[in-house]
Amino acid sequence: MDKITEYLPTILGVLFLVFVWFIIRRILSSISDKINNAELYKADTLSVLEEIRDELKELNRNNSSK
């Protein structure tokens, strides 16, 4: 029993570090996901804007030829 109480602070310290490591990992993963989603949103928005530009060019050509 004395051996268990002797190692108890070490075991609790390791468990605490593992717990903190998991929390930090979850936070960094969440931040990474938000960054990736922002980049995807930016790419999708750019694609939509390019399509709108092309349609406006086509409409402008059609209107100027009339």
Side-chain angles (χ1 to χ4, degrees), residues 7-21:
Y7 293 118
L8 190 60
T10 305
I11 293 170
L12 291 176
V14 170
L15 287 176
F16 177 74
L17 289 175
V18 169
F19 179 73
V20 169
W21 180 74

Side-chain angles (χ1 to χ4, degrees), residues 2-63:
D2 291 335
K3 293 246 183 202
I4 292 174
T5 56
E6 186 177 315
Y7 293 118
L8 190 60
T10 305
I11 293 170
L12 291 176
V14 170
L15 287 176
F16 177 74
L17 289 175
V18 169
F19 179 73
V20 169
W21 180 74
F22 275 115
I23 290 175
I24 291 173
R25 194 175 115 205
R26 291 286 300 236
I27 291 170
L28 292 177
S29 174
S30 174
I31 292 171
S32 175
D33 290 345
K34 287 182 188 260
I35 290 171
N36 288 339
N37 287 341
E39 289 176 3
L40 291 175
Y41 178 76
K42 180 180 174 184
D44 289 343
T45 303
L46 184 61
S47 170
V48 168
L49 288 174
E50 287 173 351
E51 290 177 17
I52 292 171
R53 180 196 65 201
D54 294 341
E55 289 178 16
L56 287 173
K57 281 183 181 180
E58 187 65 31
L59 285 173
N60 193 18
R61 282 189 207 130
N62 291 342
N63 285 339

